[in-house]
Amino acid sequence: MTPDAPARTTLDKATDENFPVAPFFLPRAWRADLMAVYGFARLVDDIGDGDLAPGGADARLLGARPGDGPHALLDALEADLSRVFDEAPGTPVAPAALGASEAPGVPVAPAHPLLAALRPTVRRHALGPAPFRALIEANRQDQRVRRYATHDDLLAYCELSANPVGRLVLAISGTATPERTRHSDRICTALQIVEHLQDVAEDLRRDRIYLPAEDMARFHVTEADLAAPTANASVRALVAYEARRARDLLDEGAPLVRSVHGRLRLLLTGFVAGGHAALDALRAARYDVLPGPPRASGHHLLRRAGAVWRAARGEG
């Protein structure tokens, strides 16, 4: 396996997302930068979810030891991230991750190809490390927090796990303002919640529940209900309630699309439309998410994109 093979495997997952990551209509430089950010975010999530093969290529590239779990891999990833910003790593670099001309105390290039690809993006747009570290911290939180008591607790998690990505998109496009950032946060949080709703069964298999406990109690839903092959009426009502909340967040963030122009408006239209189309798929499945995540068709996504685009132009 070539060193770039793990990176390609990670980047190929972009086609499974609810929204277009770096569509063809964007300038080539934007596409490269957005894919660099996506690659990092996807790698962090794969580590946090335990989806990487133990002792596999990604772990070896990061200098991890055999048997290292998500905690250690996230530490190794953060150390490699520090090299993107030419900072002293927070943890020692394993000798296997160092090139022949590199030595302790001398700045080293990122060991993982996804982080090596991120370095030009960081330099081109003068990005700071905070949003990238927030994504790592979200996955550390996943290792120690398995349930969320309140909706506010879940929103605080999304502040780490989702909102940094939207802020990076604004930074890459050079369009960040405080108001746009607020709207972007709402959209990103909504997209994260939608993903949690799609993946209730998968998350439970990982011993995680992202449905707030206070809402589960309100709708008389137990963990045993979530482990069933299909959703009962209470589970469906709970998922529908959380879906309405996510829809409201998307609507609150919609002014972001109207505030920008050109190809960026097209990209953000795709983000918002992807969220709405996924919510439509949940509704079409009558909110039974337990057999597997309901998915919207490409045709329906295009219809939703047309509606979001027309709304942004004030046409309906």
Side-chain angles (χ1 to χ4, degrees):
M1 179 181 289
T2 66
D4 289 339
R8 177 47 50 196
T9 299
T10 300
L11 294 174
D12 285 346
K13 296 178 182 181
T15 58
D16 297 328
E17 303 294 342
N18 285 324
F19 51 85
V21 173
F24 70 91
F25 56 76
L26 293 178
R28 181 178 299 177
W30 279 21
R31 293 202 306 272
D33 290 335
L34 291 172
M35 285 306 294
V37 168
Y38 173 79
F40 174 82
R42 184 71 265 168
L43 178 61
V44 178
D45 282 351
D46 285 349
I47 292 173
D49 289 341
D51 288 342
L52 299 184
D58 291 288
R60 292 195 301 273
L61 285 165
L62 293 171
R65 297 180 297 272
D68 278 349
H71 282 290
L73 284 172
L74 289 169
D75 287 346
L77 181 65
E78 186 164 24
D80 212 27
L81 177 67
S82 68
R83 296 171 203 118
V84 173
F85 294 93
D86 296 323
E87 299 172 341
T91 57
V93 187
L98 297 175
S101 63
E102 296 164 345
V106 177
V108 296
H112 197 290
L114 287 172
L115 278 81
L118 185 62
R119 183 185 252 179
T121 295
V122 163
R123 292 179 172 178
R124 189 157 39 243
H125 301 285
L127 303 177
F132 301 100
R133 288 188 173 136
L135 295 174
I136 293 175
E137 186 55 35
N139 280 271
R140 286 197 178 107
Q141 182 166 315
D142 278 333
Q143 309 310 307
R144 61 180 187 269
V145 180
R146 302 286 179 168
R147 307 290 188 272
Y148 289 86
T150 69
H151 184 63
D152 285 344
D153 292 339
L154 187 62
L155 294 182
Y157 168 73
C158 292
E159 180 70 19
L160 294 173
S161 67
N163 298 357
V165 176
R167 296 182 184 197
L168 286 167
V169 171
L170 294 179
I172 287 170
S173 61
T175 57
T177 67
E179 183 176 17
R180 285 176 177 150
T181 297
R182 286 194 297 272
H183 289 142
S184 172
D185 286 352
R186 286 169 172 79
I187 291 170
C188 290
T189 291
L191 293 175
Q192 179 77 86
I193 291 173
V194 170
E195 183 177 334
H196 289 327
L197 295 178
Q198 291 174 314
D199 295 339
V200 167
E202 179 182 341
D203 288 334
L204 185 62
R205 287 193 290 272
R206 302 180 194 274
D207 190 29
R208 296 176 187 162
I209 296 177
Y210 295 98
L211 299 166
E214 64 180 4
D215 296 340
M216 290 178 63
R218 174 182 175 183
F219 285 90
H220 307 289
V221 171
T222 67
E223 293 193 17
D225 293 329
L226 300 182
T230 59
N232 62 26
S234 296
V235 171
R236 291 172 192 252
L238 171 59
V239 173
Y241 174 72
E242 304 299 350
R244 284 194 297 273
R245 280 178 152 175
R247 185 94 69 181
D248 288 345
L249 283 169
L250 279 177
D251 290 341
E252 290 171 15
L256 175 64
V257 183
R258 295 196 294 272
S259 75
V260 299
H261 303 280
R263 297 180 188 185
L264 180 59
R265 178 179 283 185
L266 274 174
L267 177 66
L268 298 182
T269 291
F271 290 173
V272 175
H276 278 295
L279 287 166
D280 293 344
L282 292 177
R283 182 170 56 198
R286 297 177 57 235
Y287 302 105
D288 186 1
V289 296
L290 299 187
R295 300 291 184 186
S297 67
H299 177 69
H300 187 74
L301 175 59
L302 287 174
R303 284 175 50 200
R304 266 297 185 178
V308 173
W309 180 261
R310 289 191 297 273
R313 290 170 56 112
E315 297 175 4

